[in-house]
Amino acid sequence: MRWLVRFLVFLLILPLAYFAAFPQIFRCQLLKYTSDFQQLTPTVWVDASTPERQRVYLLFEINEATKRLEKLWNSPAKGRATVIFCQSPEQYQQYCHDGEGAGCSLGTPWGESWIIINPYGRNPDVLAHEMCHDELYTRLGWLKTQRQIPQWFNEGLALLIDQRFTTATDSLRRHDEFQDHWEEQSHGQQVVLKLTELESLKDFFSGNYNRVMLAYMTAGREVSRWLAVVGRGGLTKLVDRLKAGDDFESVYQRLEREAKTGKGS
């Protein structure tokens, strides 16, 4: 009997502990049961107060963002994240671990993923950015993404289909603009961040607004340079080799060498 009581107490405490550790993910998982959100499509939810025009625009903007994503990867999108469109910053904070920002993406080791959009983040740029994070996570897997992918690459790749900082529509032709933004943000290279300083999520987003913007421009500058060398096929090769067990840094550098020498395999 004592064992049974302990087991029942454990079953009661377990969901409470899970909520305490991962409250945003818990709310996303129970979205259809505990919120005023309404389902537009199997993977799109909006607050019940969302006007009809905004609902139509949201679906259109998701479609536009998907086109950018598929052009970058040169293949159909594989990400299947659920999009949650909020109507207030306060609501957004309930589902995103940070109340700031236009959007965020969440994922679990067992394959669930969500993209949460702030009211002012309903546009193809923010959607494409967050969908790119989810696409990498879907193609590579949660564990390898967490262990292998440095945050500067994850953010830099997302910037290649996010037109908030560049005017070039082709992701292969964005390096010059990122170089200019980086020069400006670094005050003529007086304040410079190394890629090794931007490997973790915490490191990337530490500091004030100017430091975070410099982190973004550093990431965009590097990944746009690399992609211009290896091409879209290089991105697919990178993921394939990481899935096969290779190390990110060695593969990243090797693909660039192969592209420059014409010895790609």
Side-chain angles (χ1 to χ4, degrees), residues 9 20 30 42 77 84 89 110 140 142 184 191 194 208 216 232 251:
V9 170
L30 297 181
I84 302 173
W110 43 90
L140 192 55
W142 183 88
E184 180 181 356
V191 183
K194 298 179 181 178
N208 58 25
Y216 270 121
R232 295 185 177 89
V251 173

Side-chain angles (χ1 to χ4, degrees), residues 82-208:
T82 296
V83 176
I84 302 173
F85 178 55
C86 302
Q87 272 297 316
S88 71
E90 293 75 22
Q91 188 180 56
Y92 173 77
Q93 193 169 8
Q94 292 293 306
Y95 295 91
C96 238
H97 41 70
D98 186 353
E100 299 180 1
C104 77
S105 54
L106 302 174
T108 67
W110 43 90
E112 294 176 294
S113 59
W114 301 268
I115 292 171
I116 301 91
I117 302 298
N118 224 335
Y120 59 84
R122 201 216 70 220
N123 60 70
D125 292 320
V126 173
L127 286 161
H129 188 110
E130 300 305 330
M131 288 167 67
C132 191
H133 290 322
D134 181 68
E135 188 73 14
L136 184 62
Y137 152 76
T138 301
R139 289 175 181 254
L140 192 55
W142 183 88
L143 187 60
K144 284 190 178 292
T145 302
Q146 294 293 318
R147 289 186 173 181
Q148 287 274 15
I149 300 298
Q151 194 63 26
W152 61 261
F153 181 82
N154 204 340
E155 295 296 341
L157 188 65
L159 285 174
L160 297 187
I161 55 174
D162 179 346
Q163 295 178 12
R164 285 176 289 180
F165 304 104
T166 66
T167 58
T169 57
D170 189 343
S171 55
L172 297 181
R173 291 179 169 81
R174 294 194 163 189
H175 177 64
D176 288 345
E177 288 187 78
F178 277 117
Q179 177 70 29
D180 291 341
H181 285 306
W182 176 79
E183 289 279 357
E184 180 181 356
Q185 203 65 42
S186 64
H187 302 289
Q189 303 184 37
Q190 294 183 52
V191 183
V192 176
L193 292 173
K194 298 179 181 178
L195 294 178
T196 52
E197 299 178 75
L198 305 173
E199 292 191 342
S200 72
L201 186 69
K202 181 179 178 180
D203 291 339
F204 194 96
F205 291 102
S206 67
N208 58 25

Side-chain angles (χ1 to χ4, degrees), residues 148 150 196 199 238 242 246-254 257:
Q148 287 274 15
T196 52
E199 292 191 342
L238 175 72
L242 290 178
D246 289 357
D247 173 73
F248 173 84
E249 185 175 354
S250 62
V251 173
Y252 187 82
Q253 295 176 355
R254 186 165 71 247
R257 289 196 302 269

